[in-house]
Structure formats: structure tokens, C-alpha cells
Amino acid sequence: MKDHLVRVANEAEFILSRQRAEDIHKHAEFESNCAQYAAEKRDEEKMCDHLIRAAKFRDHMTSTQLIQKIVNILTDKHGAWGSSSVSRPREFWRLDYWEDDLRRRRRFVRNPFGSSHSEAALKAAAEHASEDDILKQSIRSQALANQNTESEASLDGDDDTLSSLEDKDLENQTGPVNLSTSAQLVAPAAVVKGTLSVTASELFFEVDEDDPSYKAVDPKILSYTEGLHGKWLFTEIRAVFSRRYLLQNTALEVFMANRTAIMFNFPDAATVKKVVHSLPRVGLGTNFGLPQIRRISLATPRQLFKTSNMTQRWQRREISNFEYLMFLNTIAGRTYNDLNQYPVFPWIITNYESPELDLTLPSNYRDLSKPIGALNPKRAAFFSDRYESWEDDQVPKFHYGTHYSTSSFTLMWLLRIEPFTTFFLNFQGGKFDHADRTFSSVFRAWRNCQRDTSDVKELIPEFFYLPEMFVNANNYNLGVMEDGTVVSDVDLPPWAKSSEEFVRINRQALESEFVSCQLHQWIDLIFGYKQQGPEAARALNVFYYLTYEGTVNLSSINDPMLREAVESQIRSFGQTPSQLLIEPHPPRSSAMQVYLLLQTPLMFTEQMQQDVIMVLKFPSNSPVTHVAANTQPGLASPAIITVTANRLFSVNKWHGLAGHQNAGEQQYQLPVEIDPLIASNVGCHRRQISDLLDQSIQISSQCFVITADNRFILLCGFWDKSFRVYSTDTGKLTQIVFGHRDVVTCLARSESYIGGDCYVLTGSRDATLLLWYWNGKLSSIGESPGTEFTTPRAILTGHDCEVTSVSVCAELGLVISGCKEGPCLVHSMNGDLLRTLEGPESCLRPRLIQSSTEGHCMIYYDKGHFCLFSVNGKLLRHMEVQDNIKAMLLSRDGQYLLTGGDGGVVSVWQVSDLKQLFTFPGCDAGIRSMAMSHDQRCIITGMASGSIVLFYNDFNRWHHEYQTRY
């Protein structure tokens, strides 16, 4: 009995102790859940607090920028408070981060942080410092005193925070944070730690200002670093690329609608994947023939190369050599945001000494089948011996200890332009380099690349488009060389009379047939199968092992000191691009082959010799004041639309120049078929715009704009200060837009985007310009349907009297305008006044303005004066003609100018030197307007006699290659 009681008691105690243990466990679990919940809540509150603080800071920053922008507009010399140019402080400029479609950065904007860096001259050079520099220094310190450096992430108003102000309806959509991760913002001269947060509609980055590495960054560098407290709307994201940082696949580059890019580095590849999946599904954008899916953003460079259609397009000569090299650089991980991985381009020309350069001589071109280090046989032998006799087991053998692309080389090339000057000085400890080591002559730089065993530099893309990089515009004191030569502007070869000419000829050489025939061999060396392995050894193309991806895994190095040492080694040795292909790159088709293919469809051989294809007379004798030729393939109804002075328009069907023979009868179809409603004279009322214009308006070509799909005509000049939209199909009024305070005098539209969206610019007697958005989907001005009042994207000021001529280029983000009396002005599309274009004294009244995406601006002033300006306001050429010009056009590549006027003669001019190349047969009436078909092979002129004349055009006949070879 006793035993039984003891057993029961033991069991009871066991059960009780188990229950007690369970209670303790549950209690502990409850406490840990509470603690976890409290911690999560604390984190959430911390995150909310962080986001609220960040939003406040961003709002403060945006308001500071807007105030600064208003002050700039008012105090500009063309502004309401503008002072005379005598007492104005000196203006400094910097290269803007805006990229065009070929990823060229060419636009300069005002630089409030600019200076002549007089404190940076080396002691030997400092003796020459002038009082002028000291004065400039004090001006700069005053300018800096007015700026809050930290709150000035962007200097010209191109910051996304500004563009997001326009999307007020999107402003309040920030939902809960879907993803938050630590990240580094990778900028050209700084890498800063912070937090990246992604909501349902926005992307935020907040820099960690308490981080010691952030505090160590020079404030001057931070003033040029965008995105430190960045906020980007999903609607503004255009492309997302996977990137490498320090040879690890842990970074992303995001391209924005405002044509800038932002780069982040993450803790590991898994985080990269998470971030891509929480961003919009944009892929790599619409440029490379790839689907817009997230998988493409995560694909390897080699997969991208294989999947894209760009190689085939390059082979077929649909894209230029420059465009193709830029594409290869972009997908192989080269980026403007990391100076260690800056895009790389080849040296092309070998002759930098002759007074004339003959681009038809093979000897003037570099052999692109060899790396830069193997061009000189003596030096090649030295590198080969080094490789063969290498005995260090720790380090794999190599030919070159230095690379063809490093951050120091990039900064050396771009030393003369901000922000690279500031980056260079930061890199060099605040002083310019010794004058003999400074980039001061193109010839010397080329010679060193041939002789010096530690110099195997290739070029950067700017050598082919940025003349400003060779000019010491800020008068930096760069020192005096051993031989007594003062270093200032870069010495150019004798065959280039100006930096513009050097860049033009260098680009011409890059696009030449000699280069096209062998460029694939250089691609093999840099991006292809000769980049690594036995083929690289055979081609004398092996670099130090730490320049290749896959040679080191940083995450496996636990010792922070060792890791830092390896990172700094990777930084200083340069980084080889990702390998894109492991078999030889296919060559390009020959120009002759492509040229003959282009010629075969033409059946007009007899007419072609005569240059005039056809004349089309309209029943109305009213002068044809406007012609538009939207004939691009893929349009539902390609047409030539004409509008006469009495506002009768016609939609004439375009059949193209191919022409075809009908079976049985030997007859050619004419390229243009007259509008049946005009020909039969029955439906003319459907083609007449009868609304009353202001009596004082002189109808000209600049009063009309035709949308890219040929469906709508925009017309200005109405007495009620509006401009209006009419349907070309029914002739009915579809929209009236008000905005100006006086009569609208001129209109222009930008090139169209996919879907027909474009910008429309209006100029008025109230001396202002308004920039509007044309929505191709809704076929109206304005971004949302059904709004009664549409608001312009930007209001541009600065003129003193009636605006008479305007041009807008969306690719460069520029608006150029001229008024009745006075200079032409260049604005950014955000409303910043950038430049004043002042021609010679005789050029006072601008009549016609044409801008090309190649960065040229051609202005015709009355009395026969033409002026050619660069995109950054430099007057390049001036000429005078006898004719009273009424119409002019620039070719798509910006190389040729077409003009026509009262004399009835169409002339072709070469833009670079304004040399007349050709005149078409004269017409019996004055030319009032002009257009060109999409393939540029047909020029259509509107005549004062009420007819249109079609001329056959072939720009290739003046192209230096076709002239010399075929």
C-alpha cells in the first residue's frame, strides 16, 4: 500500500512538474513574443519616424531648390531683377548628368559651387597666380554662403524631386514600405552608406549621416552627389540593370525618365533579386529589342548580348559604330556612376602631327586587331618577355600591370570640366598634378601610349562628342612644364583648327569603313573571347589578375583589414568589363553591299538624274505655308500634309519612292497622291479652318504643328490668345488651349515618343514660352482626360518682346527661342535659362530656328544671315546668303542643312563649315515651307504658287566615304 502511495505521489509530482515546466515555457514564449512584437513595433516606429524625417528633409530640400530657382530666374541678366553684365559675378559651368539617346552627356548647366581652384595650383605654378583668381575665390565663397550644401542634391533643377512635383496626384500614394535594406549609393567620387526603402509606388534612399565614412567625405564632393536623400516615383523608372561593384555582382543601376541614372550596391546578390522584384517591370527599357520583364534585369551580360538584336542591327548598319560600342559598354557593366568602370572606347587615329588628315589612308588608322600595348613591336616584345619569364606562384602571370581604364585615367582626361576637376583634386590631395604628367596634348598622350611601359590607356566616349573637355574654360592654373610650356587648353593636332573640329574628325574616323571592317576585332579583345584565357595570352592581352571578375570573392574574406586592402587594390588596378562572348564577334557588312541594297528598290532612275521627282498643283492658288511629312514605316496612314495661307489643308497619301510597275502597263506610281477631297473640290469645307485669327498675324510655317500620326493640326494666332487642335479627318475643332496673356505667335513640337507623345512649345506676344505635353493616347494637350483647364509643364521667361520662332529638342532637354528684336535664348525643359545665343552685330532678328539631336543649333536672321551655335552656346560659324530664306531643315544626323526661300532654289550646305554642296534646279515660285520624308530621300517644298515640288535627295553623295570609294 505504501509503495502504491509513493508511486502515485511520484507520478503526481512528475505531472505537476511537467505542467510547471510547460507553464514556464509558455510564459517564456509569451514574453519572447511580446518582446519580438515590441521590437518589431519599435523598428516600425523607427522606420516611420525615419521616413517622416526624411520626407521633411526632402520637402525642405525641394523648397530650397525652388526658391533658388526663382531667385536665379529673377536675377538672371534677362530676368526682372537682372543687373548689367559689367557688375555680374563670373559664371561657372558644370557638365550636366542628362544623357541623350546615345548616352552622351553634352549639356552644361550653371554651377553655384564653381571656382577657378586657385588654391590647387602646385607651388611652382602658384607663383603665377593672379589677383583675379583671389577675387574669383571671394565671389565663390559668397555664392557658397547663400547655398545650403547638403540640401542641394541637384544644382539645375533636374532632380527627380522637382519633376515629381508635377505629378501631384501621385504624391500621396506612398503606401507601407514593402522592402527596406541597407545599401550604398555609388556615385562618381563617393560611395555612401544608407537605407533603401521601396513602397508600392516609390523608391527612397536615405544616407546615414552618422556613418564615419560619410563624415569623412569632402563636402565639395557631396555637393556634386545626387540622390543622397533621393525619392523616385515608379512612373519615372525607365530601365533597371544588374551591375557589378568591385567585381561582385551585387549592384543595380536604375535609369530615370529625366535621363539620369542612379546606382546602388547591396549586401549580397539575394538582396539585388528582392529589390528588382519590388521595382516596376521595365527590364532594360525599350532600346535594345529585349522584353520588358524583371528576368531581363537580372540576366547576365552574356545572356543580354545573346538575346538582344543590336549586333544584327550593327551588322546591317542600322546603328552607328559609336552607338554599338555604347551598347556593349552599357550591358557589360560600364557606368558613369563608377569611375572605376567608366565606358571604354578605342584610340582610332594614329596621325597627330600632319597639317592635313586624309581619312582615306589606311596608315592614319590604328590596327584594331591588337591591344594598345602590342601596337609598338619593341614594347610588345618587352611585355611578352615579362609574361614568359614570370615566376611568382602567388600571382598569375600577366602582360600589363596597369589597365586600359581606371578612375585616375578618366579624371585625367576630364580634368578641365566640373565636376571632374573637383573629383580629381579630391583624388590628388587637393592639388593639380605636375604639369608634365597632366593631359596637355593629344599627340603626347598617344605617343606615351606607344612608348611608356606603364601606359596602355584607351579612350573614353567623350573624345567623340565633347569638345569642351579640351578647353580650359575656367582658367585653372595647371602649371608650367619642364620646357617652359604653360599648360592650359589641350594641344590639338595641326589638322584640327578647333576642339569641335577635332571631335568631329575623330567621330568621322570612328564611323569610317576602315574602322567598321575591323571593329569586331577590338571588341574581341575588350569584351570578347580574347579577353581572358589562352586566346588573351596569344593576343598579348593579359592584365593583372585582380582586374577580372571571378578572381576574388569579397564576402568570403572575414578579416576587415585584408578585405579593405583587396578592395583598394581592385579600385586602383582598374576593372575589365564582363565578358560578353566566348567565340569571335561577327564582322560588319560592307558599306558597298548595304548601299547597293538601298538603291535597288528605286525605279525612278530617269527622274533621279533630274533631281525633281514630281510637282503637285492644288486647285487653290494660295501659297503652301506649311508642309509636314510623317512617312515613317508602321504609321497607319503615312501622308504629306500641306496647309495654305488661307488655312486650307490637304492630307495627301504617301506611297513612297519604291514605285512599282503594274503588270501589262509600264507605269510608275507617283510617290504622293493628292487628297481626293481637294482634287474633286467637293469636300473642301472639311479641309478649311475658318475660325478667326488675329488680324495682325502673318501666317507662316511656324503657326502650325502636325502630330506624328497625321491625325491632328495644331494652329495658333487666334484673337482670344488660345491655340487650337483640329482633326485632319473631319476638320472639326477638338480642343482649345489657353495659357498666354497675348496672342500666340508660333508653335513647335519635339520628336515623338512611342505612342505619339511629344512636347508642344508655344511662343507669344506676351514674351513668354509655355511647354505643353501632347498625349498621343488621348489625342489632346494635357495628361489626364476630361480636365477643363490644362496646365503647361513649364513657363519659360527671359525675352523682352514678342517671341517669333521656337524649337524644342526632347532628347537634349532644350528649348531654343528667338524674339522680334534681341538674342535667342536656350532654356532647359524645366524652365532654367541656360544660355544667351548672341550672333554678330548684324544678326538681330531671328526668323527661323532648327536644332538637331547632334547638339547643333542653326538660326536664320533676317537679311540672309545664318549662325551655327553649339548646344552650349558657342558661336561656331556665320554666313550670309543673297536669298530671303523662308524655310530650312537639318538632316537627322545634323551634318547637312537644307534652305529655300524667295529665289525658289533648294540648297544643301555642310553644317560643319557652312560650305554649299549642291543646289537643286530652281522653281518658278518662292519656297514657303519644307519637309523631308522619314528616310530622308525626298525633299518636299511648299511653293508660293500653291503647289508642292518633290526633289530626290541622297545625303550619301556628299559623305566623304561614298565620295572617295564608290
Side-chain angles (χ1 to χ4, degrees):
M1 185 67 180
K2 191 180 172 185
D3 290 353
H4 175 68
L5 284 172
V6 168
R7 198 163 56 246
V8 169
N10 284 344
E11 278 177 11
E13 198 178 332
F14 174 72
I15 290 165
L16 281 170
S17 62
R18 196 167 67 186
Q19 278 180 336
R20 268 197 307 275
E22 269 178 16
D23 283 351
I24 290 166
H25 177 68
K26 277 179 183 168
H27 188 69
E29 197 178 351
F30 175 72
E31 279 195 334
S32 99
N33 282 344
C34 286
Q36 194 181 342
Y37 180 73
E40 279 172 7
K41 274 288 164 209
R42 268 200 310 276
D43 283 352
E44 213 170 288
E45 280 171 18
K46 214 166 145 190
M47 174 56 73
C48 287
D49 193 41
H50 166 77
L51 288 174
I52 290 165
R53 220 175 45 245
K56 276 184 180 170
F57 187 86
R58 253 191 303 275
D59 289 345
H60 162 69
M61 204 167 75
T62 306
S63 57
T64 312
Q65 286 176 338
L66 287 172
I67 291 166
Q68 189 57 45
K69 187 172 173 175
I70 292 163
V71 170
N72 289 347
I73 288 169
L74 290 169
T75 55
D76 186 272
K77 67 176 176 185
H78 294 285
W81 304 342
S83 58
S84 67
S85 53
V86 183
S87 59
R88 293 181 69 77
R90 176 173 169 191
E91 281 183 335
F92 289 95
W93 300 84
R94 71 165 176 86
L95 190 65
D96 193 14
Y97 299 120
W98 179 284
E99 295 177 12
D100 70 8
D101 288 352
L102 301 189
R103 303 212 54 212
R104 294 174 294 191
R105 296 175 163 193
R106 290 182 298 190
R107 198 170 89 169
F108 280 73
V109 292
R110 280 193 182 80
N111 181 9
F113 310 121
S115 96
S116 53
H117 291 294
S118 52
E119 78 292 345
L122 285 174
K123 283 200 178 77
E127 292 157 18
H128 305 275
S130 60
E131 290 173 26
D132 183 36
D133 278 343
I134 296 156
L135 173 74
K136 286 165 199 158
Q137 193 60 24
S138 69
I139 289 167
R140 173 180 168 274
S141 56
Q142 283 168 20
L144 273 176
N146 299 331
Q147 300 278 350
N148 174 348
T149 49
E150 277 189 13
S151 69
E152 194 69 16
S154 163
L155 311 178
D156 69 329
D158 259 352
D159 183 30
D160 310 275
T161 42
L162 282 184
S163 56
S164 66
L165 284 180
E166 292 151 6
D167 300 39
K168 292 185 184 72
D169 52 332
L170 295 165
E171 193 67 34
N172 304 317
Q173 284 186 7
T174 51
V177 174
N178 295 339
L179 176 76
S180 182
T181 172
S182 61
Q184 290 171 302
L185 175 73
V186 181
V191 179
V192 291
K193 288 178 184 166
T195 307
L196 186 82
S197 313
V198 187
T199 70
S201 63
E202 286 171 320
L203 179 69
F204 297 92
F205 179 77
E206 292 309 322
V207 69
D208 179 2
E209 294 187 356
D210 300 325
D211 185 73
S213 64
Y214 177 79
K215 289 177 176 169
V217 180
D218 185 341
K220 287 179 191 164
I221 296 289
L222 292 177
S223 65
Y224 289 117
T225 303
E226 295 203 332
L228 293 174
H229 297 272
K231 167 179 142 186
W232 302 275
L233 290 166
F234 278 9
T235 51
E236 294 177 337
I237 294 175
R238 292 290 175 269
V240 178
F241 279 86
S242 293
R243 288 280 182 249
R244 297 181 313 170
Y245 178 65
L246 295 177
L247 299 178
Q248 313 302 301
N249 295 308
T250 53
L252 275 184
E253 192 168 24
V254 183
F255 287 79
M256 299 295 166
N258 68 356
R259 292 175 175 269
T260 58
I262 202 96
M263 184 167 163
F264 300 105
N265 183 46
F266 297 100
D268 50 45
T271 313
V272 173
K273 212 175 233 180
K274 277 185 206 157
V275 174
V276 169
H277 281 285
S278 39
L279 290 177
R281 209 176 56 229
V282 289
L284 305 187
T286 52
N287 291 346
F288 307 141
L290 292 163
Q292 289 182 281
I293 53 175
R294 294 191 178 100
R295 203 174 68 244
I296 286 291
S297 291
L298 292 166
T300 64
R302 199 174 294 175
Q303 287 167 332
L304 293 178
F305 178 80
K306 269 195 171 135
T307 321
S308 166
N309 63 355
M310 294 293 272
T311 304
Q312 292 74 24
R313 289 182 63 200
W314 174 71
Q315 285 180 280
R316 295 195 298 266
R317 292 176 178 257
E318 289 168 19
I319 58 172
S320 63
N321 288 337
F322 181 92
E323 196 171 343
Y324 188 55
L325 287 175
M326 211 68 214
F327 158 73
L328 294 175
N329 273 290
T330 302
I331 63 165
R334 312 304 282 186
T335 166
Y336 291 128
N337 281 313
D338 183 358
L339 294 176
N340 292 304
Q341 302 189 77
Y342 209 77
V344 54
F345 268 61
W347 283 95
I348 297 293
I349 297 170
T350 57
N351 178 352
Y352 295 98
E353 295 173 280
S354 305
E356 298 291 325
L357 183 70
D358 184 353
L359 286 180
T360 63
L361 284 182
S363 58
N364 286 334
Y365 291 88
R366 165 226 175 140
D367 179 357
L368 286 166
S369 65
K370 294 176 181 168
I372 200 87
L375 291 176
N376 175 350
K378 252 190 199 162
R379 199 170 64 148
F382 167 82
F383 289 132
S384 184
D385 288 350
R386 172 198 277 174
Y387 184 82
E388 297 305 333
S389 57
W390 190 259
E391 286 173 358
D392 188 339
D393 297 336
Q394 299 296 308
V395 177
K397 49 189 184 175
F398 57 88
H399 293 115
Y400 313 110
T402 56
H403 206 252
Y404 48 76
S405 170
T406 66
S407 57
S408 55
F409 296 162
T410 301
L411 291 173
M412 185 203 76
W413 293 131
L414 297 172
L415 166 70
R416 288 165 178 79
I417 53 178
E418 287 286 20
F420 299 99
T421 315
T422 300
F423 298 164
F424 180 86
L425 292 173
N426 183 262
F427 180 76
Q428 281 277 121
K431 297 286 179 195
F432 288 118
D433 202 354
H434 194 282
D436 285 87
R437 284 197 298 267
T438 301
F439 170 44
S440 57
S441 152
V442 179
F443 167 65
R444 265 198 300 279
W446 166 251
R447 192 181 59 193
N448 287 349
C449 289
Q450 300 310 295
R451 296 181 182 175
D452 190 335
T453 51
S454 62
D455 186 349
V456 289
K457 285 192 288 291
E458 289 282 14
L459 300 184
I460 54 174
E462 282 81 354
F463 267 82
F464 301 91
Y465 68 81
L466 193 71
E468 287 82 359
M469 68 178 272
F470 302 101
V471 180
N472 185 13
N474 293 319
N475 298 325
Y476 298 136
N477 192 346
L478 299 173
V480 182
M481 290 173 20
E482 296 287 333
D483 61 6
T485 312
V486 177
V487 176
S488 183
D489 291 353
V490 175
D491 286 341
L492 299 169
W495 45 258
K497 305 294 177 280
S498 65
S499 55
E500 284 78 17
E501 193 176 6
F502 173 74
V503 164
R504 182 179 62 80
I505 292 172
N506 209 25
R507 175 72 197 270
Q508 211 172 320
L510 176 66
E511 302 302 340
S512 70
E513 190 58 17
F514 288 112
V515 173
S516 291
C517 289
Q518 46 168 344
L519 188 59
H520 63 283
Q521 296 178 305
W522 185 82
I523 293 169
D524 286 334
L525 293 166
I526 307 296
F527 304 101
Y529 80 112
K530 291 183 181 175
Q531 188 203 79
Q532 298 178 38
E535 287 293 345
R538 264 198 288 279
L540 225 70
N541 194 36
V542 180
F543 291 85
Y544 189 73
Y545 80 106
L546 274 183
T547 66
Y548 297 100
E549 67 179 324
T551 49
V552 63
N553 180 5
L554 289 178
S555 57
S556 64
I557 303 174
N558 297 322
D559 179 355
M561 297 285 282
L562 179 61
R563 179 172 173 142
E564 204 173 310
V566 173
E567 283 183 6
S568 70
Q569 270 191 305
I570 293 171
R571 271 195 199 94
S572 52
F573 280 123
Q575 292 169 40
T576 303
S578 289
Q579 192 174 21
L580 298 178
L581 67 172
I582 46 177
E583 64 280 337
H585 189 288
R588 202 178 194 197
S589 308
S590 81
M592 184 68 172
Q593 206 177 338
V594 175
Y595 189 61
L596 288 173
L597 279 174
L598 277 177
Q599 298 293 58
T600 40
L602 290 176
M603 307 295 281
F604 281 100
T605 28
E606 307 81 43
Q607 285 104 313
M608 287 313 158
Q609 268 104 44
Q610 297 159 13
D611 295 311
V612 178
I613 301 169
M614 70 176 283
V615 179
L616 182 63
K617 180 81 178 75
F618 296 108
S620 139
N621 288 324
S622 180
V624 178
T625 49
H626 186 82
V627 180
N630 293 315
T631 61
Q632 52 270 42
L635 263 190
S637 50
I640 306 292
I641 294 184
T642 61
V643 193
T644 64
N646 59 9
R647 305 199 301 292
L648 194 69
F649 66 90
S650 65
V651 183
N652 310 288
K653 202 167 180 190
W654 170 257
H655 294 294
L657 292 186
H660 59 268
Q661 288 173 285
N662 294 336
E665 52 192 56
Q666 297 293 308
Q667 167 188 344
Y668 301 113
Q669 183 178 19
L670 289 167
V672 177
E673 182 186 327
I674 191 166
D675 186 333
L677 291 182
I678 293 290
S680 60
N681 227 343
V682 277
C684 276
H685 61 280
R686 263 178 65 188
R687 297 284 189 247
Q688 178 83 46
I689 299 172
S690 51
D691 296 354
L692 287 178
L693 296 193
D694 190 90
Q695 287 181 334
S696 60
I697 276 286
Q698 277 189 310
I699 291 274
S700 76
S701 187
Q702 303 200 51
C703 295
F704 306 93
V705 155
I706 313 291
T707 57
D709 56 7
N710 290 321
R711 289 176 53 213
F712 296 92
I713 293 180
L714 281 68
L715 171 58
C716 66
F718 295 98
W719 61 272
D720 64 357
K721 303 163 190 170
S722 69
F723 69 98
R724 304 183 181 190
V725 182
Y726 296 88
S727 160
T728 53
D729 184 32
T730 61
K732 285 189 177 144
L733 175 65
T734 63
Q735 192 181 13
I736 301 179
V737 186
F738 294 97
H740 287 283
R741 300 189 165 209
D742 206 336
V743 176
V744 182
T745 49
C746 50
L747 287 172
R749 80 164 166 87
S750 69
E751 59 279 30
S752 266
Y753 299 119
I754 294 165
D757 291 10
C758 64
Y759 289 95
V760 171
L761 183 68
T762 57
S764 162
R765 275 194 196 140
D766 66 9
T768 65
L769 301 137
L770 298 183
L771 187 70
W772 309 83
Y773 196 71
W774 171 264
N775 188 318
K777 211 175 183 178
L778 304 170
S779 299
S780 67
I781 297 278
E783 281 156 76
S784 45
T787 44
E788 197 176 334
F789 297 106
T790 50
T791 50
R793 278 288 184 99
I795 301 169
L796 316 180
T797 59
H799 287 294
D800 297 330
C801 54
E802 173 183 336
V803 179
T804 54
S805 46
V806 287
S807 170
V808 53
C809 179
E811 189 177 323
L812 298 179
L814 293 179
V815 167
I816 302 154
S817 55
C819 62
K820 209 165 186 176
E821 306 261 333
C824 291
L825 302 181
V826 181
H827 288 85
S828 77
M829 280 166 59
N830 291 29
D832 299 305
L833 177 53
L834 297 179
R835 304 276 178 176
T836 306
L837 304 180
E838 291 178 354
E841 281 177 18
S842 50
C843 302
L844 280 177
R845 297 184 185 86
R847 292 285 170 264
L848 301 167
I849 297 177
Q850 282 275 315
S851 54
S852 79
T853 51
E854 285 303 303
H856 286 130
C857 173
M858 184 65 78
I859 300 174
Y860 172 71
Y861 298 85
D862 64 353
K863 302 198 175 116
H865 289 277
F866 280 94
C867 286
L868 174 69
F869 293 92
S870 79
V871 67
N872 291 311
K874 182 179 176 186
L875 176 63
L876 302 174
R877 289 273 183 277
H878 169 237
M879 75 164 176
E880 201 176 342
V881 297
Q882 297 311 308
D883 199 357
N884 180 21
I885 299 296
K886 289 288 171 68
M888 70 176 187
L889 279 179
L890 282 170
S891 64
R892 204 175 300 124
D893 61 6
Q895 287 190 39
Y896 304 101
L897 170 74
L898 301 170
T899 61
D902 289 346
V905 174
V906 175
S907 300
V908 183
W909 310 79
Q910 191 161 286
V911 167
S912 57
D913 53 6
L914 292 185
K915 180 176 132 197
Q916 191 168 16
L917 298 172
F918 189 73
T919 50
F920 285 94
C923 304
D924 56 0
I927 292 166
R928 291 287 169 270
S929 52
M930 201 187 303
M932 208 169 1
S933 62
H934 181 73
D935 59 9
Q936 304 197 100
R937 282 160 55 199
C938 183
I939 300 162
I940 303 107
T941 58
M943 313 304 291
S945 57
S947 56
I948 57 171
V949 180
L950 276 69
F951 297 93
Y952 175 69
N953 172 53
D954 179 9
F955 286 128
N956 282 330
R957 63 173 124 175
W958 304 295
H959 190 282
H960 75 104
E961 287 238 302
Y962 293 97
Q963 280 187 315
T964 51
R965 311 207 118 213
Y966 312 130

